[in-house]
């Protein structure tokens, strides 16, 4: 990467950091804050980077940041879509196509997610690619940060990888399969008819999964706006929750949050999530 671009990358990060108040990202203001904006260590914490590494980036030194790190920094700094694309170009990284795991998350969605610290919540795309999770969502559903390519979509994994189904009791699999296919048909129809991402996913699943092909032939169509789900957790057992959705204006992203189902003991189970953390959670989500 050219030295001029690297210098500009550091300058740009500093400028974006200085405009954000700690309260904007759910951090306490704290004492002795000499300058407005976030501290370097706070940005590093939000992005999942070491403080030393982030310091190197702001100095215009160090190694070229990965695409995953650029995505994490864009979210930590609440960048707009244009700012996020600019950051990728400064790092000499290709701007991710919409719908991938590194997709831009609207700052408003991130703000709402940040305001749900006591509720499992996450942002996904309309093709069920998880973009960002809060700690309780990771504890309940598993960490989704490691999936790339077609496997980033939970719907793809649901129909091609048996282990993905461990998240739900076997008795619920048929219902989940039908709901996923109906939701995918609705999402694909909402996109442009020439959208390559949705079309490629559908072709792959039609070829790879007889179950998907049979359900697709039924032509059911329905967005998943709210669900009552039973989640299999390795430490808590089966947790029954309501899954609620808030859609972005273009329908490409959804904020999901999970509340305890009435008439069950799920409220107590969800209270334990903060204690259990992410130990032994199933690496699957919806």
């Amino acid at each position: 990467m050219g030295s001029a671009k690297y210098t500009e990358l550091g300058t740009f990060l500093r400028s974006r950091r200085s405009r954000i108040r700690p309260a904007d990202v759910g951090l306490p203001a704290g004492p002795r804050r000499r300058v407005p904006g976030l501290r370097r260590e706070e940005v590093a914490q939000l992005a999942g980077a070491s403080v030393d590494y982030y310091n190197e980036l702001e100095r215009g030194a160090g190694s070229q940041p990965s695409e995953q790190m650029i995505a994490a920094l864009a979210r930590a700094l609440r960048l707009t879509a244009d700012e996020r694309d600019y950051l990728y170009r400064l790092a000499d990284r290709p701007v991710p196509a919409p719908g991938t795991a590194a997709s831009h998350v609207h700052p408003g969605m991130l703000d709402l997610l940040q305001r749900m610290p006591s509720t499992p919540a996450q942002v996904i795309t309309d093709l069920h690619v998880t973009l960002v999770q809060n700690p309780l969502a990771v504890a309940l559903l598993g960490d989704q940060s490691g999936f790339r390519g077609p496997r980033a979509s939970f719907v793809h994994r649901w129909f091609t990888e048996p282990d993905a189904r461990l998240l739900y009791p076997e008795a619920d699999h048929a219902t989940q399969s039908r709901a996923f296919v109906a939701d995918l048909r609705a999402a694909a129809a909402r996109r442009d008819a020439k959208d390559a991402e949705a079309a490629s996913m559908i072709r792959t699943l039609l070829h790879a999964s007889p179950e998907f092909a049979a359900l697709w032939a039924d032509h059911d169509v329905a967005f998943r706006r709210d669900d009552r789900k039973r989640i299999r957790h390795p430490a808590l057992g089966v947790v029954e929750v309501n899954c609620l959705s808030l859609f972005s204006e273009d329908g490409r992203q959804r904020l999901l949050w999970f509340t305890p189902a009435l008439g069950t003991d799920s409220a107590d189970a969800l209270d334990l999530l903060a204690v259990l953390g992410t130990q032994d959670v199933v690496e699957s989500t919806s």
Side-chain angles (χ1 to χ4, degrees):
M1 185 167 64
S3 59
K5 275 192 172 182
Y6 219 158
T7 299
E8 171 59 19
L9 185 146
T11 301
F12 184 65
L13 288 175
R14 287 195 298 275
S15 72
R16 301 304 89 181
R17 173 170 62 84
S18 67
R19 69 179 182 173
I20 299 178
R21 298 173 303 172
D24 294 336
V25 292
L27 295 174
R32 300 178 183 175
R33 190 173 290 273
R34 298 176 182 175
V35 295
L38 298 179
R39 299 186 176 103
R40 291 185 181 90
E41 57 267 27
E42 291 170 334
V43 177
Q45 175 189 346
L46 291 168
S50 73
V51 177
D52 288 343
Y53 178 76
Y54 182 76
N55 285 340
E56 288 290 301
L57 287 180
E58 282 208 0
R59 285 198 294 266
S63 60
Q64 182 186 25
S66 67
E67 295 175 42
Q68 292 76 22
M69 179 52 61
I70 292 296
L73 289 170
R75 292 167 187 168
L77 294 169
R78 300 300 193 262
L79 301 187
T80 66
D82 291 337
E83 290 170 335
R84 189 284 308 255
D85 292 354
Y86 181 63
L87 191 61
Y88 270 92
R89 293 187 175 102
L90 288 177
D92 279 338
R93 296 292 188 184
V95 176
T100 66
S103 290
H104 176 69
V105 182
H106 192 283
M109 288 276 195
L110 283 174
D111 182 59
L112 286 173
L113 185 72
Q114 191 68 49
R115 294 174 187 274
M116 296 180 169
S118 60
T119 301
Q122 59 188 22
V123 179
I124 68 171
T125 72
D126 56 343
L127 301 185
H128 292 258
V129 175
T130 302
L131 301 179
V132 61
Q133 299 170 283
N134 70 10
L136 286 182
V138 174
L140 178 64
L141 303 166
D143 183 359
Q144 301 306 298
S145 61
F147 296 106
R148 297 291 180 267
R151 296 186 65 238
S153 167
F154 184 75
V155 173
H156 181 278
R157 298 198 304 278
W158 179 263
F159 287 104
T160 60
E161 301 178 22
D163 284 352
R165 302 197 173 201
L166 295 175
L167 185 63
Y168 297 114
E170 187 174 357
D172 299 347
H173 289 182
T175 299
Q176 293 296 331
S177 292
R178 185 168 293 279
F180 281 134
V181 173
D183 185 86
L184 178 58
R185 185 179 287 277
R190 181 178 236 169
R191 292 186 174 211
D192 185 276
K194 297 180 181 179
D195 182 85
E197 183 188 13
S200 175
M201 179 176 173
I202 292 166
R203 284 196 305 270
T204 298
L205 291 176
L206 286 171
H207 176 75
S209 171
E211 179 191 17
F212 178 88
L215 291 171
W216 190 257
D218 288 341
H219 292 271
D220 290 342
V221 54
F223 282 116
R224 301 190 78 164
R225 291 183 172 87
D226 56 80
D227 281 310
R228 185 155 172 162
K229 298 184 177 185
R230 296 194 300 160
I231 306 294
R232 291 180 65 247
H233 190 279
L236 301 176
V238 175
V239 182
E240 195 161 354
V241 295
N242 297 311
C243 177
L244 307 173
S245 302
L246 175 67
F247 288 69
S248 63
E249 186 175 354
D250 62 2
R252 291 290 189 101
Q253 294 182 10
R254 310 172 191 182
L255 173 65
L256 307 182
W257 69 98
F258 301 84
T259 61
L262 294 177
T264 72
D265 59 359
S266 297
D268 292 337
L270 292 181
D271 285 343
L272 287 173
L273 282 177
V275 178
L276 294 173
T278 57
Q279 60 184 354
D280 299 324
V281 291
V282 179
E283 289 193 354
S284 300
T285 191
S286 165

